[in-house]
PDB file of all heavy atoms in Angstrom:
ATOM      1  N   PHE A   1       0.819  -1.222   0.005  1.00 96.00           N
ATOM      2  CA  PHE A   1      -0.039   0.014  -0.014  1.00 96.00           C
ATOM      3  C   PHE A   1       0.892   1.257   0.044  1.00 96.00           C
ATOM      4  O   PHE A   1       1.742   1.418   0.822  1.00 96.00           O
ATOM      5  CB  PHE A   1      -0.884  -0.025   1.208  1.00 96.00           C
ATOM      6  CG  PHE A   1      -1.775   1.162   1.317  1.00 96.00           C
ATOM      7  CD1 PHE A   1      -2.731   1.530   0.317  1.00 96.00           C
ATOM      8  CD2 PHE A   1      -1.735   2.018   2.415  1.00 96.00           C
ATOM      9  CE1 PHE A   1      -3.563   2.598   0.393  1.00 96.00           C
ATOM     10  CE2 PHE A   1      -2.564   3.128   2.496  1.00 96.00           C
ATOM     11  CZ  PHE A   1      -3.496   3.414   1.475  1.00 96.00           C
ATOM     12  N   GLY A   2       0.598   2.051  -1.006  1.00 94.00           N
ATOM     13  CA  GLY A   2       1.400   3.332  -1.167  1.00 94.00           C
ATOM     14  C   GLY A   2       2.654   3.273  -1.957  1.00 94.00           C
ATOM     15  O   GLY A   2       3.232   4.288  -2.300  1.00 94.00           O
ATOM     16  N   ASP A   3       3.062   2.087  -2.335  1.00 93.00           N
ATOM     17  CA  ASP A   3       4.318   1.837  -3.019  1.00 93.00           C
ATOM     18  C   ASP A   3       4.182   2.224  -4.511  1.00 93.00           C
ATOM     19  O   ASP A   3       3.094   2.141  -5.078  1.00 93.00           O
ATOM     20  CB  ASP A   3       4.792   0.418  -2.879  1.00 93.00           C
ATOM     21  CG  ASP A   3       6.246   0.220  -3.361  1.00 93.00           C
ATOM     22  OD1 ASP A   3       7.012   1.202  -3.345  1.00 93.00           O
ATOM     23  OD2 ASP A   3       6.562  -0.944  -3.645  1.00 93.00           O
ATOM     24  N   GLU A   4       5.303   2.578  -5.153  1.00 90.00           N
ATOM     25  CA  GLU A   4       5.476   2.696  -6.582  1.00 90.00           C
ATOM     26  C   GLU A   4       4.937   3.947  -7.203  1.00 90.00           C
ATOM     27  O   GLU A   4       5.635   4.558  -8.023  1.00 90.00           O
ATOM     28  CB  GLU A   4       4.872   1.509  -7.315  1.00 90.00           C
ATOM     29  CG  GLU A   4       5.547   0.194  -7.134  1.00 90.00           C
ATOM     30  CD  GLU A   4       5.114  -0.892  -8.109  1.00 90.00           C
ATOM     31  OE1 GLU A   4       5.223  -0.643  -9.310  1.00 90.00           O
ATOM     32  OE2 GLU A   4       4.525  -1.867  -7.609  1.00 90.00           O
ATOM     33  N   TRP A   5       3.737   4.351  -6.906  1.00 90.00           N
ATOM     34  CA  TRP A   5       3.127   5.394  -7.745  1.00 90.00           C
ATOM     35  C   TRP A   5       3.721   6.753  -7.465  1.00 90.00           C
ATOM     36  O   TRP A   5       4.408   7.029  -6.507  1.00 90.00           O
ATOM     37  CB  TRP A   5       1.612   5.359  -7.603  1.00 90.00           C
ATOM     38  CG  TRP A   5       1.043   6.192  -6.434  1.00 90.00           C
ATOM     39  CD1 TRP A   5       1.580   6.428  -5.204  1.00 90.00           C
ATOM     40  CD2 TRP A   5      -0.218   6.870  -6.454  1.00 90.00           C
ATOM     41  NE1 TRP A   5       0.720   7.174  -4.472  1.00 90.00           N
ATOM     42  CE2 TRP A   5      -0.376   7.454  -5.185  1.00 90.00           C
ATOM     43  CE3 TRP A   5      -1.217   7.018  -7.394  1.00 90.00           C
ATOM     44  CZ2 TRP A   5      -1.506   8.270  -4.853  1.00 90.00           C
ATOM     45  CZ3 TRP A   5      -2.352   7.780  -7.064  1.00 90.00           C
ATOM     46  CH2 TRP A   5      -2.499   8.365  -5.829  1.00 90.00           C
ATOM     47  N   SER A   6       3.407   7.728  -8.331  1.00 90.00           N
ATOM     48  CA  SER A   6       3.966   9.101  -8.289  1.00 90.00           C
ATOM     49  C   SER A   6       2.847  10.155  -8.016  1.00 90.00           C
ATOM     50  O   SER A   6       3.086  11.246  -8.305  1.00 90.00           O
ATOM     51  CB  SER A   6       4.693   9.415  -9.635  1.00 90.00           C
ATOM     52  OG  SER A   6       3.831   9.308 -10.699  1.00 90.00           O
ATOM     53  N   GLY A   7       1.809   9.643  -7.378  1.00 92.00           N
ATOM     54  CA  GLY A   7       0.660  10.525  -7.182  1.00 92.00           C
ATOM     55  C   GLY A   7       0.658  11.254  -5.849  1.00 92.00           C
ATOM     56  O   GLY A   7      -0.437  11.747  -5.435  1.00 92.00           O
ATOM     57  N   GLY A   8       1.773  11.276  -5.120  1.00 93.00           N
ATOM     58  CA  GLY A   8       1.836  12.014  -3.886  1.00 93.00           C
ATOM     59  C   GLY A   8       1.625  11.116  -2.713  1.00 93.00           C
ATOM     60  O   GLY A   8       1.316   9.877  -2.794  1.00 93.00           O
ATOM     61  N   ALA A   9       1.662  11.650  -1.562  1.00 93.00           N
ATOM     62  CA  ALA A   9       1.562  10.952  -0.309  1.00 93.00           C
ATOM     63  C   ALA A   9       0.156  10.341  -0.189  1.00 93.00           C
ATOM     64  O   ALA A   9      -0.805  11.013  -0.486  1.00 93.00           O
ATOM     65  CB  ALA A   9       1.818  11.878   0.872  1.00 93.00           C
ATOM     66  N   VAL A  10       0.103   9.131   0.279  1.00 95.00           N
ATOM     67  CA  VAL A  10      -1.223   8.433   0.380  1.00 95.00           C
ATOM     68  C   VAL A  10      -1.538   8.633   1.899  1.00 95.00           C
ATOM     69  O   VAL A  10      -1.377   7.767   2.739  1.00 95.00           O
ATOM     70  CB  VAL A  10      -1.112   6.927   0.042  1.00 95.00           C
ATOM     71  CG1 VAL A  10      -2.507   6.276   0.138  1.00 95.00           C
ATOM     72  CG2 VAL A  10      -0.502   6.747  -1.312  1.00 95.00           C
ATOM     73  N   ASP A  11      -2.073   9.828   2.200  1.00 94.00           N
ATOM     74  CA  ASP A  11      -2.311  10.211   3.588  1.00 94.00           C
ATOM     75  C   ASP A  11      -3.722  10.707   3.902  1.00 94.00           C
ATOM     76  O   ASP A  11      -4.009  11.402   4.904  1.00 94.00           O
ATOM     77  CB  ASP A  11      -1.299  11.315   3.945  1.00 94.00           C
ATOM     78  CG  ASP A  11      -1.394  12.494   3.024  1.00 94.00           C
ATOM     79  OD1 ASP A  11      -2.316  12.504   2.099  1.00 94.00           O
ATOM     80  OD2 ASP A  11      -0.581  13.455   3.141  1.00 94.00           O
ATOM     81  N   SER A  12      -4.633  10.326   3.005  1.00 97.00           N
ATOM     82  CA  SER A  12      -6.085  10.718   3.226  1.00 97.00           C
ATOM     83  C   SER A  12      -6.923   9.587   2.611  1.00 97.00           C
ATOM     84  O   SER A  12      -6.495   8.825   1.758  1.00 97.00           O
ATOM     85  CB  SER A  12      -6.384  12.050   2.593  1.00 97.00           C
ATOM     86  OG  SER A  12      -6.355  11.909   1.127  1.00 97.00           O
ATOM     87  N   PRO A  13      -8.202   9.499   3.015  1.00 98.00           N
ATOM     88  CA  PRO A  13      -9.071   8.471   2.418  1.00 98.00           C
ATOM     89  C   PRO A  13      -9.167   8.641   0.922  1.00 98.00           C
ATOM     90  O   PRO A  13      -9.175   7.629   0.217  1.00 98.00           O
ATOM     91  CB  PRO A  13     -10.409   8.711   3.198  1.00 98.00           C
ATOM     92  CG  PRO A  13      -9.997   9.238   4.519  1.00 98.00           C
ATOM     93  CD  PRO A  13      -8.830  10.085   4.214  1.00 98.00           C
ATOM     94  N   GLY A  14      -9.202   9.888   0.438  1.00 97.00           N
ATOM     95  CA  GLY A  14      -9.263  10.080  -1.006  1.00 97.00           C
ATOM     96  C   GLY A  14      -8.081   9.630  -1.725  1.00 97.00           C
ATOM     97  O   GLY A  14      -8.137   8.909  -2.783  1.00 97.00           O
ATOM     98  N   GLN A  15      -6.863   9.905  -1.112  1.00 97.00           N
ATOM     99  CA  GLN A  15      -5.675   9.421  -1.770  1.00 97.00           C
ATOM    100  C   GLN A  15      -5.544   7.912  -1.671  1.00 97.00           C
ATOM    101  O   GLN A  15      -5.026   7.257  -2.569  1.00 97.00           O
ATOM    102  CB  GLN A  15      -4.421  10.087  -1.093  1.00 97.00           C
ATOM    103  CG  GLN A  15      -4.166  11.468  -1.572  1.00 97.00           C
ATOM    104  CD  GLN A  15      -3.575  11.527  -2.969  1.00 97.00           C
ATOM    105  OE1 GLN A  15      -4.282  11.446  -3.983  1.00 97.00           O
ATOM    106  NE2 GLN A  15      -2.278  11.569  -3.015  1.00 97.00           N
ATOM    107  N   ALA A  16      -6.026   7.293  -0.608  1.00 98.00           N
ATOM    108  CA  ALA A  16      -6.034   5.878  -0.422  1.00 98.00           C
ATOM    109  C   ALA A  16      -6.824   5.214  -1.530  1.00 98.00           C
ATOM    110  O   ALA A  16      -6.397   4.205  -2.123  1.00 98.00           O
ATOM    111  CB  ALA A  16      -6.589   5.474   0.914  1.00 98.00           C
ATOM    112  N   ARG A  17      -7.993   5.741  -1.776  1.00 98.00           N
ATOM    113  CA  ARG A  17      -8.885   5.197  -2.817  1.00 98.00           C
ATOM    114  C   ARG A  17      -8.194   5.371  -4.245  1.00 98.00           C
ATOM    115  O   ARG A  17      -8.243   4.450  -5.056  1.00 98.00           O
ATOM    116  CB  ARG A  17     -10.251   5.822  -2.795  1.00 98.00           C
ATOM    117  CG  ARG A  17     -11.091   5.443  -1.595  1.00 98.00           C
ATOM    118  CD  ARG A  17     -12.419   6.046  -1.574  1.00 98.00           C
ATOM    119  NE  ARG A  17     -13.107   5.690  -0.403  1.00 98.00           N
ATOM    120  CZ  ARG A  17     -13.853   4.553  -0.181  1.00 98.00           C
ATOM    121  NH1 ARG A  17     -13.893   3.662  -1.123  1.00 98.00           N
ATOM    122  NH2 ARG A  17     -14.482   4.360   0.935  1.00 98.00           N
ATOM    123  N   ALA A  18      -7.612   6.518  -4.403  1.00 98.00           N
ATOM    124  CA  ALA A  18      -6.913   6.727  -5.747  1.00 98.00           C
ATOM    125  C   ALA A  18      -5.757   5.778  -5.938  1.00 98.00           C
ATOM    126  O   ALA A  18      -5.565   5.243  -7.026  1.00 98.00           O
ATOM    127  CB  ALA A  18      -6.406   8.207  -5.792  1.00 98.00           C
ATOM    128  N   TRP A  19      -4.960   5.566  -4.857  1.00 98.00           N
ATOM    129  CA  TRP A  19      -3.859   4.593  -4.970  1.00 98.00           C
ATOM    130  C   TRP A  19      -4.400   3.194  -5.327  1.00 98.00           C
ATOM    131  O   TRP A  19      -3.841   2.497  -6.173  1.00 98.00           O
ATOM    132  CB  TRP A  19      -3.000   4.563  -3.706  1.00 98.00           C
ATOM    133  CG  TRP A  19      -1.843   3.609  -3.885  1.00 98.00           C
ATOM    134  CD1 TRP A  19      -0.583   3.945  -4.313  1.00 98.00           C
ATOM    135  CD2 TRP A  19      -1.808   2.211  -3.638  1.00 98.00           C
ATOM    136  NE1 TRP A  19       0.201   2.794  -4.415  1.00 98.00           N
ATOM    137  CE2 TRP A  19      -0.542   1.766  -3.987  1.00 98.00           C
ATOM    138  CE3 TRP A  19      -2.745   1.303  -3.188  1.00 98.00           C
ATOM    139  CZ2 TRP A  19      -0.214   0.436  -3.908  1.00 98.00           C
ATOM    140  CZ3 TRP A  19      -2.397  -0.025  -3.087  1.00 98.00           C
ATOM    141  CH2 TRP A  19      -1.079  -0.468  -3.407  1.00 98.00           C
ATOM    142  N   VAL A  20      -5.437   2.711  -4.662  1.00 98.00           N
ATOM    143  CA  VAL A  20      -5.991   1.435  -4.931  1.00 98.00           C
ATOM    144  C   VAL A  20      -6.475   1.276  -6.384  1.00 98.00           C
ATOM    145  O   VAL A  20      -6.236   0.305  -7.018  1.00 98.00           O
ATOM    146  CB  VAL A  20      -7.091   1.051  -3.891  1.00 98.00           C
ATOM    147  CG1 VAL A  20      -7.828  -0.230  -4.328  1.00 98.00           C
ATOM    148  CG2 VAL A  20      -6.513   0.935  -2.497  1.00 98.00           C
ATOM    149  N   ARG A  21      -7.160   2.326  -6.846  1.00 98.00           N
ATOM    150  CA  ARG A  21      -7.616   2.332  -8.210  1.00 98.00           C
ATOM    151  C   ARG A  21      -6.382   2.226  -9.132  1.00 98.00           C
ATOM    152  O   ARG A  21      -6.405   1.567 -10.184  1.00 98.00           O
ATOM    153  CB  ARG A  21      -8.454   3.562  -8.540  1.00 98.00           C
ATOM    154  CG  ARG A  21      -9.756   3.527  -7.850  1.00 98.00           C
ATOM    155  CD  ARG A  21     -10.702   4.610  -8.485  1.00 98.00           C
ATOM    156  NE  ARG A  21     -10.261   5.974  -8.162  1.00 98.00           N
ATOM    157  CZ  ARG A  21     -10.589   6.634  -7.027  1.00 98.00           C
ATOM    158  NH1 ARG A  21     -11.421   6.117  -6.116  1.00 98.00           N
ATOM    159  NH2 ARG A  21     -10.131   7.852  -6.846  1.00 98.00           N
ATOM    160  N   TRP A  22      -5.298   2.990  -8.813  1.00 97.00           N
ATOM    161  CA  TRP A  22      -4.076   2.881  -9.630  1.00 97.00           C
ATOM    162  C   TRP A  22      -3.538   1.460  -9.597  1.00 97.00           C
ATOM    163  O   TRP A  22      -3.125   0.899 -10.667  1.00 97.00           O
ATOM    164  CB  TRP A  22      -2.995   3.891  -9.064  1.00 97.00           C
ATOM    165  CG  TRP A  22      -1.666   3.678  -9.693  1.00 97.00           C
ATOM    166  CD1 TRP A  22      -1.248   4.159 -10.869  1.00 97.00           C
ATOM    167  CD2 TRP A  22      -0.668   2.820  -9.154  1.00 97.00           C
ATOM    168  NE1 TRP A  22       0.056   3.713 -11.087  1.00 97.00           N
ATOM    169  CE2 TRP A  22       0.410   2.876 -10.061  1.00 97.00           C
ATOM    170  CE3 TRP A  22      -0.553   2.055  -8.046  1.00 97.00           C
ATOM    171  CZ2 TRP A  22       1.590   2.186  -9.861  1.00 97.00           C
ATOM    172  CZ3 TRP A  22       0.672   1.338  -7.855  1.00 97.00           C
ATOM    173  CH2 TRP A  22       1.720   1.385  -8.732  1.00 97.00           C
ATOM    174  N   ALA A  23      -3.464   0.799  -8.445  1.00 97.00           N
ATOM    175  CA  ALA A  23      -2.895  -0.576  -8.336  1.00 97.00           C
ATOM    176  C   ALA A  23      -3.753  -1.523  -9.156  1.00 97.00           C
ATOM    177  O   ALA A  23      -3.229  -2.380  -9.855  1.00 97.00           O
ATOM    178  CB  ALA A  23      -2.876  -0.979  -6.921  1.00 97.00           C
ATOM    179  N   ALA A  24      -5.043  -1.364  -9.130  1.00 98.00           N
ATOM    180  CA  ALA A  24      -5.982  -2.229  -9.866  1.00 98.00           C
ATOM    181  C   ALA A  24      -5.731  -2.047 -11.350  1.00 98.00           C
ATOM    182  O   ALA A  24      -5.651  -2.982 -12.178  1.00 98.00           O
ATOM    183  CB  ALA A  24      -7.444  -1.956  -9.545  1.00 98.00           C
ATOM    184  N   GLY A  25      -5.610  -0.753 -11.772  1.00 97.00           N
ATOM    185  CA  GLY A  25      -5.297  -0.498 -13.158  1.00 97.00           C
ATOM    186  C   GLY A  25      -3.991  -0.980 -13.644  1.00 97.00           C
ATOM    187  O   GLY A  25      -3.765  -1.335 -14.841  1.00 97.00           O
ATOM    188  N   ARG A  26      -3.036  -1.033 -12.717  1.00 95.00           N
ATOM    189  CA  ARG A  26      -1.644  -1.515 -13.069  1.00 95.00           C
ATOM    190  C   ARG A  26      -1.721  -3.017 -13.212  1.00 95.00           C
ATOM    191  O   ARG A  26      -0.747  -3.622 -13.874  1.00 95.00           O
ATOM    192  CB  ARG A  26      -0.736  -1.165 -11.898  1.00 95.00           C
ATOM    193  CG  ARG A  26       0.677  -1.560 -12.045  1.00 95.00           C
ATOM    194  CD  ARG A  26       1.532  -0.597 -12.757  1.00 95.00           C
ATOM    195  NE  ARG A  26       2.946  -0.885 -12.648  1.00 95.00           N
ATOM    196  CZ  ARG A  26       3.624  -1.765 -13.389  1.00 95.00           C
ATOM    197  NH1 ARG A  26       2.974  -2.466 -14.322  1.00 95.00           N
ATOM    198  NH2 ARG A  26       4.914  -1.970 -13.162  1.00 95.00           N
ATOM    199  N   GLY A  27      -2.761  -3.717 -12.749  1.00 96.00           N
ATOM    200  CA  GLY A  27      -2.869  -5.168 -12.898  1.00 96.00           C
ATOM    201  C   GLY A  27      -2.493  -5.959 -11.674  1.00 96.00           C
ATOM    202  O   GLY A  27      -2.382  -7.172 -11.839  1.00 96.00           O
ATOM    203  N   TYR A  28      -2.306  -5.317 -10.521  1.00 97.00           N
ATOM    204  CA  TYR A  28      -1.979  -6.111  -9.307  1.00 97.00           C
ATOM    205  C   TYR A  28      -3.164  -6.957  -8.868  1.00 97.00           C
ATOM    206  O   TYR A  28      -4.346  -6.590  -9.112  1.00 97.00           O
ATOM    207  CB  TYR A  28      -1.555  -5.190  -8.275  1.00 97.00           C
ATOM    208  CG  TYR A  28      -0.066  -4.729  -8.345  1.00 97.00           C
ATOM    209  CD1 TYR A  28       0.203  -3.466  -8.775  1.00 97.00           C
ATOM    210  CD2 TYR A  28       0.904  -5.675  -8.087  1.00 97.00           C
ATOM    211  CE1 TYR A  28       1.588  -3.063  -8.944  1.00 97.00           C
ATOM    212  CE2 TYR A  28       2.275  -5.318  -8.217  1.00 97.00           C
ATOM    213  CZ  TYR A  28       2.546  -3.996  -8.639  1.00 97.00           C
ATOM    214  OH  TYR A  28       3.874  -3.633  -8.795  1.00 97.00           O
TER     215      TYR A  28
END
């Protein structure tokens, strides 16, 4: 959780959801 992406700190519920969507799109 929070690794790899360049979308900024994953420090809020909104950022958490954005990171998970990114990970799903990446194919994890």
Side-chain angles (χ1 to χ4, degrees):
F1 180 60
D3 192 24
E4 290 192 60
W5 87 326
S6 57
V10 185
D11 55 4
S12 69
Q15 280 287 85
R17 291 182 183 277
W19 183 90
V20 171
R21 289 193 293 271
W22 169 86
R26 180 88 168 81
Y28 279 105

